[in-house]
Amino acid sequence: MSRSPIDELANTTTSYTRQQDVDQSPCSTSYVGRSAYIGGDVPIDEEQAKSYRAIQNGSLSEADVQCLQLQKAFDLPPRSVRDVLVDTFMSRCYPWTPIVKREWLEEREGKPPSYLLLQAVFLAASRVSSAPLAFASSEDFYRRARMLFWLGYEKDTMTVIIATCIMHWWNPDGPEHVSIDTSSFWIRIGVGLAYQIGLHKEPQHAKDASLRRRLWWTLFSRDCQIAAGQGRPRAVTVKDCEVRPISLDDFAEPTINAQLFIAYVGVCSILGDVIECCSRKQMSRQQRSNIENALYRWTRGLPEQLQLFHQQPNLTLRSYNFEARQLHVPYFVILAITYRSPSPGGAPSAAALLASSFVAGIFQDFLTRDEIRFLGPIFTFYLLAAAVAQLSSYRYPDLWRSAEQELRVINISQKELSKRWPSASGAMRVLQHITDAGTQRVRSDHPPLMELSLDQHCLFTVFGPDLCQEWAYIMETASKKHTRRPKHGQYRSTTSDLMTAGILADLKTPSATPVLGPHVPSPAMFDNQVSYYDGAGTGLDASVDGHYEGIGNWLLTSWSSDFPI
């Protein structure tokens, strides 16, 4: 670097990201919306309220600078290590967080990049890197970024929010521990700052409008995933968001990564809605129908490169695509949660078993290719959700033989994840405990009735038998059910008959233009109808009964009466 960071502290030079790509006014100006409801006939000029200087935006003290130096906040890896870490970030992290440009991380025209952003990017890359790190550990990078954040070294708010979003990759503990270093803490910091600068509002004529949308939907997606893993409320209130759905127009080029992120936001949004309904115990028939409709449209709107199977001439598995496989895991987890059995004592759900089998099949490929290490901590929750669905089949020997193989894959995958994400260790222990308790139950001599409703069947018709070990047992039975001529009062013979009759036309027919934007729940998703879904709760209080309080604990609440956890 041509100039030291100490020199930078002595002047008002801004970071490279702000100079080149961010419109200064919306980033540094606080959003205040109170005039909308107290203005009355006389409009309120919020700018007049900002006539005083903000104390916290002053320069750093000498003591602050010494703290940063002691923490080595300005130490950067050698060029070769920097290049590897940046390459790793752009290939492994950027597709899911398209909020950093490579040139922001380089010195340009004698001006250094943001040290906060650099340390955050190095942290994220080190968490998914396969190369040994001799210069510094992930914890070192995190400690430096955290110190730069808390001392307010970076003055550009957009850069700060981007860094907090990337710092989610540290996440040293699961939700069973109270911590200010986990992803749940940083998401609320990021969302809180985002509200301050009005990221939740549709940008009006801002030069950085596309960046603002990408950043907002990145925060939103992470928020949905964190809520799913922990069973806690989302930081983002969807009804207060006015930002239009992310689209290809928000990317410099319509690449496959752009399409991937759009689809990712969509499935995360549906996941967040499902978790919210389950946590509030408000899964009404209308809400479930809305979720099924959103899932159907999501699968039909995927570009070919992100689909798992060729649709013509038959459903054959496409060439391996790591990102496409990751993308479909939350889709199947949503199905496993939505249709799962309310307790291990009940009959297993065909749809949940089928979906969880797909999750196990996808992870089998991850294991074979040694790519578990590139996954984020949320995949610990996805594995737990799949395992819960499989455990419901123990009482039935024919199903359990297949489930044992699926659970073996899940356990090995959790063990691999635990090498980087400690939250997986707690999930492994509680899963083993439930498995041991479940195997003490009385077996049944009668095979369960494995049936899919027509709506459930529609959600699997774009997939084939590959990746799903339980396909033959479940889908062949379901296919026979949905192709034979029904008796009076039953379903029509095929999905196409229903389409012709107009029964599913409004709900299941995708529009001419693929719907790739995020699912925005309708008001019906939050109505007060009486719930008939009793398969999820709000989580166990460890302070009261000592039960498991780790990632995905809310999934196990309804099981606790059968098996203490």
Side-chain angles (χ1 to χ4, degrees):
M1 299 295 178
S2 60
R3 304 180 64 184
S4 72
I6 306 303
D7 293 334
E8 291 296 313
L9 287 171
N11 55 53
T12 57
T13 301
T14 56
S15 67
Y16 175 75
T17 57
R18 183 164 67 249
Q19 292 174 342
Q20 301 295 328
D21 295 273
V22 178
D23 181 15
Q24 174 73 1
S25 58
C27 299
S28 59
T29 300
S30 174
Y31 168 81
V32 182
R34 57 195 173 192
S35 60
Y37 51 84
I38 65 172
D41 296 332
V42 181
I44 294 178
D45 184 359
E46 295 288 1
E47 293 301 318
Q48 292 180 347
K50 304 173 186 177
S51 59
Y52 64 93
R53 180 181 177 183
I55 298 176
Q56 68 272 21
N57 289 334
S59 60
L60 272 66
S61 68
E62 183 178 348
D64 291 336
V65 175
Q66 290 177 350
C67 287
L68 291 172
Q69 291 175 316
L70 286 173
Q71 291 291 332
K72 300 181 179 181
F74 305 119
D75 286 13
L76 300 178
R79 180 203 53 78
S80 59
V81 177
R82 290 201 306 270
D83 290 347
V84 169
L85 289 174
V86 171
D87 288 343
T88 300
F89 178 84
M90 299 307 293
S91 63
R92 300 296 182 186
C93 304
Y94 176 83
W96 315 104
T97 52
I99 52 179
V100 177
K101 292 184 179 180
R102 182 183 289 270
E103 55 262 33
W104 295 356
L105 308 175
E106 302 169 353
E107 182 176 315
R108 296 288 292 271
E109 300 176 356
K111 299 169 184 175
S114 164
Y115 282 90
L116 172 61
L117 185 59
L118 277 176
Q119 300 291 8
V121 166
F122 295 156
L123 158 67
S126 66
R127 294 294 269 168
V128 294
S129 174
S130 58
L133 298 175
F135 174 80
S137 65
S138 298
E139 185 176 1
D140 292 331
F141 290 129
Y142 174 75
R143 188 175 62 251
R144 296 167 187 174
R146 181 182 60 184
M147 182 62 71
L148 287 163
F149 172 84
W150 286 120
L151 290 183
Y153 177 79
E154 175 58 56
K155 302 303 181 185
D156 179 65
T157 310
M158 284 282 283
T159 302
V160 173
I161 297 173
I162 291 171
T164 60
C165 195
I166 297 172
M167 288 167 70
H168 293 173
W169 287 93
W170 173 234
N171 203 51
D173 299 308
E176 59 270 28
H177 298 290
V178 177
S179 172
I180 62 170
D181 297 308
T182 59
S183 56
S184 61
F185 178 82
W186 287 110
I187 188 64
R188 295 189 177 274
I189 293 290
V191 170
L193 288 171
Y195 280 138
Q196 286 194 43
I197 65 171
L199 277 186
H200 62 300
K201 297 292 183 178
E202 176 62 21
Q204 300 295 329
H205 311 296
K207 295 179 182 179
D208 64 334
S210 294
L211 173 61
R212 291 170 69 89
R213 291 191 194 96
R214 295 199 308 273
L215 178 53
W216 174 256
W217 289 117
T218 298
L219 287 167
F220 173 79
S221 301
R222 286 298 181 93
D223 187 31
C224 291
Q225 290 183 315
I226 292 169
Q230 302 181 357
R232 296 170 182 168
R234 287 185 282 189
V236 173
T237 303
V238 180
K239 292 182 179 180
D240 293 330
C241 172
E242 297 179 4
V243 182
R244 70 162 173 77
I246 193 75
S247 69
L248 291 177
D249 294 335
D250 295 315
F251 296 84
E253 298 179 2
T255 62
I256 186 60
N257 274 344
Q259 295 175 316
L260 172 69
F261 182 71
I262 293 170
Y264 166 71
V265 173
V267 75
C268 286
S269 179
I270 303 171
L271 175 66
D273 291 339
V274 170
I275 303 311
E276 192 165 74
C277 288
C278 293
S279 297
R280 296 176 176 179
K281 297 185 178 181
Q282 291 180 344
M283 182 68 82
S284 67
R285 282 185 171 82
Q286 181 60 54
Q287 290 164 331
R288 182 172 298 212
S289 177
N290 290 341
I291 290 168
E292 291 170 338
N293 176 44
L295 289 170
Y296 183 93
R297 289 182 177 274
W298 185 84
T299 57
R300 271 60 179 183
L302 285 178
E304 288 187 3
Q305 301 97 312
L306 297 178
Q307 296 174 7
L308 293 184
F309 292 85
H310 294 282
Q311 301 304 303
Q312 299 295 335
N314 48 38
L315 294 170
T316 57
L317 189 64
R318 289 181 178 273
S319 299
Y320 182 80
N321 182 317
F322 183 49
E323 285 72 27
R325 300 291 174 95
Q326 290 184 71
L327 181 65
H328 278 81
V329 171
Y331 172 83
F332 290 118
V333 167
I334 292 170
L335 295 179
I337 293 173
T338 303
Y339 297 123
R340 74 191 183 102
S341 300
S343 76
S349 161
L353 287 178
L354 202 61
S356 59
S357 181
F358 270 107
V359 173
I362 290 173
F363 269 89
Q364 179 69 68
D365 278 354
F366 291 164
L367 286 169
T368 303
R369 296 171 180 268
D370 193 23
E371 291 183 324
I372 295 285
R373 54 188 169 176
F374 301 133
L375 301 176
I378 185 60
F379 284 87
T380 293
F381 166 74
Y382 294 153
L383 285 170
L384 181 61
V388 168
Q390 289 294 324
L391 285 173
S392 65
S393 63
Y394 171 75
R395 296 178 60 238
Y396 307 95
D398 289 343
L399 285 177
W400 184 244
R401 279 191 290 271
S402 176
E404 281 186 304
Q405 299 179 44
E406 311 279 32
L407 289 170
R408 189 175 300 112
V409 171
I410 291 172
N411 281 321
I412 295 174
S413 299
Q414 288 281 35
K415 185 176 295 185
E416 289 299 309
L417 279 173
S418 69
K419 295 177 181 178
R420 299 199 180 216
W421 310 111
S423 57
S425 299
M428 287 172 56
R429 288 192 293 271
V430 71
L431 183 58
Q432 184 60 53
H433 178 81
I434 294 178
T435 302
D436 293 342
T439 53
Q440 304 304 313
R441 298 184 65 85
V442 178
R443 308 298 288 272
S444 173
D445 296 330
H446 305 287
L449 183 63
M450 290 282 99
E451 289 189 338
L452 296 174
S453 70
L454 187 59
D455 283 339
Q456 292 173 350
H457 191 268
C458 287
L459 297 175
F460 290 99
T461 53
V462 294
F463 306 107
D466 294 316
L467 297 178
C468 182
Q469 185 172 282
E470 299 179 19
W471 179 276
Y473 188 89
I474 297 174
M475 283 300 286
E476 289 181 5
T477 301
S479 296
K480 291 177 181 178
K481 173 187 175 184
H482 294 305
T483 55
R484 65 175 181 263
R485 182 65 57 183
K487 297 179 182 179
H488 177 70
Q490 292 182 321
Y491 288 124
R492 293 176 181 268
S493 59
T494 65
T495 302
S496 60
D497 290 336
L498 285 167
M499 292 292 194
T500 302
I503 297 175
L504 291 178
D506 292 335
L507 289 179
K508 298 294 191 289
T509 304
S511 58
T513 303
V515 180
L516 293 176
H519 161 63
V520 179
S522 66
M525 290 291 290
F526 304 97
D527 62 17
N528 295 318
Q529 298 183 48
V530 177
S531 169
Y532 68 91
Y533 179 80
D534 59 354
T538 57
L540 301 175
D541 186 354
S543 64
V544 176
D545 51 25
H547 287 177
Y548 172 67
E549 203 178 30
I551 192 166
N553 69 311
W554 63 271
L555 274 172
L556 309 174
T557 301
S558 61
W559 291 51
S560 58
S561 60
D562 296 282
F563 309 131
I565 57 175

